[in-house]
Amino acid sequence: MKRSIVRTLAAVTAAIAPFATVSAVAPAAQAASVSAAQKADGIAPAKISLNTETQGLSEDTTTWRSIIKSWNDKGFDNIQEVSAYSPSMKRHIPLVVIQPKDKEKRDNAPTLYMLNGADGGQGIANWIRQTDIVTYYGGNSDPSKGTVSPGIGANIVIPMTGAYSYYTDWVTEPNTSEIKGPQKWETFLTRELPQAIEPALKANDKRAIAGMSMTGTTSLLYAQHHPGFYDSVGSFSGCAATTTGLTPKFIDLVLNRGGTDFTKMWGPVNGEVARNNDALINAEKLRGQKNIYVSTSSGFPGEHDMPWSERVNGQLSSAAPVIFEGAVIEGATNACTRDLARKTNALGIPVKYNFRPAGTHQWGYWQDDLRGYWNDLVNGLGTGAERPKLQPTKPISPEDYWAGSTSGS
């Protein structure tokens, strides 16, 4: 019981804290436009190797590679692993890149950066394992292979490492069994990577950022820290506040799993760095950001939590943590999101809020968010892709990878 409570609190923290093997260098004519502000600080671009397995990763943190292979074997040549070397972190970062299934839509496509939760996608909690993002956002015309959809017409870039990092720039350099070396994730994802991956994919200058659970906070912070850089922002089951009340203690529960703590990440709770990473305090900085979508459920069990649902599929041992832990976590994110809504409404900042009357903190609802976010996303990216009519959703194709995961950790 004690272990379950600790796991629940840690998960709450994650929610409320926030194809050639060569380096690809695109010709100048193909390079995406990155804002002057992103280049002016002299940050060097990442080095990109398309269709390349990132070296030095343990097998238990790369089970997602089998999913890429499964899709490739099904004829989906639009999903690949990309290795990106980060100058600031001095290591190679694995990415999953999903391009439009329709080859005619690939050149000059916009880019969606999609963030996993607290485990960085290294376990079973990631977008390609838990949702139909490959077919629904990438596109698919064959109902036998998954959700039928025209796709959003964008390149989707998903980092597949970064457990317990909060995808932020740390004030110290941790050296634990779980987290080692410089943690400069915001520098990498907003400075180094866009300068490299967008030209390599022949992308245009439109981009969006979205995340769930822990990274539902991160996506809001990136939009605040880099005004004008994103054309759309998605935050699913996250929490804007990170420094008030007991939140720093909850954050420590997650960071302790990586052998570190809040002060090593952001310094003193009331310090400048920490407060700069509180999206509720800095809600005013969302002014001018277009196409913001923020979602949360109530915490009451919903359609994806029932034992007979396709997600649970009669696995009662899986249904219990989904309903208990997921309810507690989502109840917390619901309160956080209502705080943000009150503040943005008072400030006159337009945000599309999706308050679901039922649902817990689990992937069935984040798959629903792929649908709920569609219009705000494609409006920002300018693709004009029409959202397909509502279809019954299945766990995943080509296999069921769910395995009972509830939170983003």
Side-chain angles (χ1 to χ4, degrees):
M1 181 66 178
K2 182 178 179 181
R3 188 174 183 179
S4 178
I5 292 172
V6 170
R7 181 182 172 191
T8 300
L9 288 174
V12 170
T13 305
I16 69 175
F19 278 101
T21 310
V22 294
S23 294
V25 179
Q30 297 174 345
S33 171
V34 179
S35 71
Q38 300 300 93
K39 292 181 176 180
D41 53 16
I43 297 293
K47 295 181 180 178
I48 299 294
S49 296
L50 301 179
N51 196 31
T52 301
E53 285 197 358
T54 306
Q55 300 302 306
L57 305 179
S58 61
E59 186 175 345
D60 63 344
T61 65
T62 56
T63 57
W64 43 267
R65 283 176 174 160
S66 65
I67 302 174
I68 294 177
K69 184 178 185 303
S70 294
W71 285 111
N72 292 161
D73 290 346
K74 292 286 185 179
F76 287 75
D77 67 351
N78 61 317
I79 178 171
Q80 60 173 299
E81 179 178 350
V82 172
S83 182
Y85 180 78
S86 166
S88 66
M89 293 195 286
K90 301 179 176 62
R91 60 183 181 273
H92 294 273
I93 307 299
L95 312 168
V96 167
V97 173
I98 306 166
Q99 293 183 273
K101 184 72 162 58
D102 185 345
K103 294 181 179 179
E104 294 183 356
K105 296 180 180 178
R106 294 182 188 177
D107 284 1
N108 203 41
T111 308
L112 167 62
Y113 295 91
M114 206 78 179
L115 304 181
N116 291 308
D119 81 344
Q122 297 169 197
I124 64 172
N126 58 64
W127 285 105
I128 67 167
R129 184 166 188 161
Q130 298 290 346
T131 74
D132 61 356
I133 193 170
V134 173
T135 51
Y136 193 69
Y137 272 11
N140 175 48
S141 59
D142 186 344
S144 70
K145 295 181 179 179
T147 308
V148 174
S149 170
I152 57 173
N155 300 306
I156 304 160
V157 178
I158 311 172
M160 299 302 291
T161 189
Y164 316 126
S165 71
Y166 284 78
Y167 292 102
T168 188
D169 284 2
W170 289 44
V171 297
T172 66
E173 183 175 319
N175 184 23
T176 74
S177 60
E178 297 289 341
I179 313 176
K180 294 183 179 180
Q183 302 297 306
K184 299 294 181 183
W185 289 98
E186 183 168 347
T187 296
F188 172 68
L189 288 168
T190 67
R191 295 287 206 262
E192 298 172 347
L193 185 60
Q195 291 187 68
I197 193 70
E198 293 176 16
L201 297 174
K202 303 179 183 179
N204 63 27
D205 62 355
K206 296 284 187 179
R207 61 187 68 82
I209 183 81
M212 40 62 66
S213 191
M214 179 189 76
T215 60
T217 302
T218 307
S219 63
L220 294 173
L221 290 173
Y222 283 10
Q224 291 176 348
H225 295 172
H226 308 279
F229 191 57
Y230 298 107
D231 298 283
S232 181
V233 177
S235 174
F236 318 148
S237 296
C239 183
T242 58
T243 63
T244 55
L246 294 175
T247 303
K249 297 297 183 184
F250 288 141
I251 291 175
D252 270 343
L253 286 174
V254 167
L255 294 175
N256 290 165
R257 293 162 65 189
T260 185
D261 59 45
F262 186 105
T263 59
K264 291 183 176 64
M265 181 171 71
W266 284 335
V269 171
N270 292 317
E272 182 179 354
V273 174
R275 290 179 66 81
N276 187 49
N277 283 287
D278 189 309
L280 182 61
I281 289 175
N282 295 289
E284 171 63 36
K285 294 182 180 179
L286 292 174
R287 190 177 300 281
Q289 174 65 59
K290 298 180 179 179
N291 304 299
I292 307 174
Y293 171 92
V294 179
S295 71
T296 184
S297 298
S298 66
F300 293 106
E303 61 176 322
H304 299 303
D305 306 305
M306 299 298 112
W308 54 84
S309 71
E310 289 183 315
R311 283 272 162 181
V312 179
N313 196 27
Q315 301 175 51
L316 298 182
S317 61
S318 296
V322 168
I323 292 176
F324 173 66
E325 295 181 7
V328 173
I329 300 164
E330 197 67 12
T333 68
N334 184 279
C336 286
T337 303
R338 291 188 183 279
D339 286 343
L340 181 65
R342 280 190 287 270
K343 189 159 186 180
T344 55
N345 289 341
L347 292 170
I349 297 173
V351 176
K352 179 181 178 182
Y353 287 100
N354 181 8
F355 288 99
R356 286 183 287 264
T360 62
H361 200 72
Q362 63 117 314
W363 284 94
Y365 301 101
W366 301 326
Q367 175 161 286
D368 289 346
D369 279 321
L370 295 180
R371 287 135 177 85
Y373 183 38
W374 182 290
N375 288 340
D376 295 283
L377 176 60
V378 301
N379 285 343
L381 297 181
T383 65
E386 184 175 350
R387 183 170 60 183
K389 293 181 179 179
L390 186 64
Q391 307 167 52
T393 59
K394 296 181 179 180
I396 323 292
S397 178
E399 300 176 39
D400 176 9
Y401 296 109
W402 180 52
S405 175
T406 57
S407 76
S409 57

